[in-house]
Amino acid sequence: MGRRASLAFAAALAALAGAGLLSATNAQTVPPLPEIDRIEVHKAERAMLLFADGREVARFDHIQLGGQPVGAKHFEGDQKTPEGHYTVDFGKRDSAYHLALHISYPSAADSAYAAARGASPGGAIFIHGQPNEWPAGRVPGDWTAGCIALSDNQIEALWSAVGDGTELDIEP
């Protein structure tokens, strides 16, 4: 099932949950989203804003970032989340995390900055859910290697509403 095609599935789950036919542990707590065409991440606020047709349609608070969240990512292993303009360029179901949307980091500018300093910019930056082996709920604090982590319910809703090429702006 494609990311957008699973929107109907999410809506069906929400309807079942609303009718009391699913247990609380299986209920979808994030309502289905329209097709998202732009994402803004505000790192200092720990917020992700989702836009459709130029208007904000949803906000996810309490997002989690790299273990060193202040400042832009410049080098592999610096534990920072990138800052700048990127896109979501593909989805990955078979991840160590509950669903994963790849971010187009590093940009040409990111690569040039690192190369000028004799270093690698790193890569494999994703928006993803919680670790598959995490027992329940959320890992506390900022814990990723530079990715943006959401709750499993949030990433499921986002996965269903975001296509390849979706604009993404990550701000300090």
Side-chain angles (χ1 to χ4, degrees):
M1 178 173 1
R3 290 195 307 263
R4 289 193 180 127
S6 63
L7 183 59
F9 179 73
L13 282 178
L16 289 171
L21 299 175
L22 291 178
S23 71
T25 58
N26 293 327
Q28 180 74 21
T29 59
V30 177
L33 299 168
E35 185 176 321
I36 300 302
D37 52 34
R38 189 167 65 87
I39 302 169
E40 285 181 11
V41 172
H42 299 270
K43 290 170 49 175
E45 295 175 35
R46 300 300 189 279
M48 177 180 284
L49 285 60
L50 307 174
F51 295 84
D53 297 321
R55 62 184 181 86
E56 183 179 332
V57 295
R59 177 185 172 110
F60 294 158
D61 289 308
H62 311 294
I63 66 171
Q64 296 164 295
L65 305 170
Q68 298 295 321
V70 178
K73 180 168 196 62
H74 291 301
F75 310 112
E76 184 172 13
D78 65 9
Q79 301 294 302
K80 294 184 179 290
T81 300
E83 295 175 359
H85 181 75
Y86 303 97
T87 60
V88 172
D89 52 7
F90 67 87
K92 183 174 170 68
R93 285 185 185 273
D94 61 339
S95 165
Y97 307 95
H98 187 72
L99 302 175
L101 297 167
H102 187 262
I103 296 171
S104 63
Y105 176 88
S107 68
D110 296 322
S111 294
Y113 182 92
R117 288 151 184 83
S120 167
I125 303 296
F126 291 86
I127 301 170
H128 59 67
Q130 300 298 298
N132 290 331
E133 296 174 8
W134 188 253
R138 293 179 80 148
V139 176
D142 289 319
W143 56 270
T144 76
C147 297
I148 300 164
L150 306 174
S151 74
D152 289 350
N153 287 335
Q154 289 169 333
I155 192 63
E156 287 172 7
L158 190 62
W159 178 273
S160 298
V162 170
D164 295 349
T166 300
E167 301 290 320
L168 170 66
D169 289 300
I170 305 172
E171 301 174 5

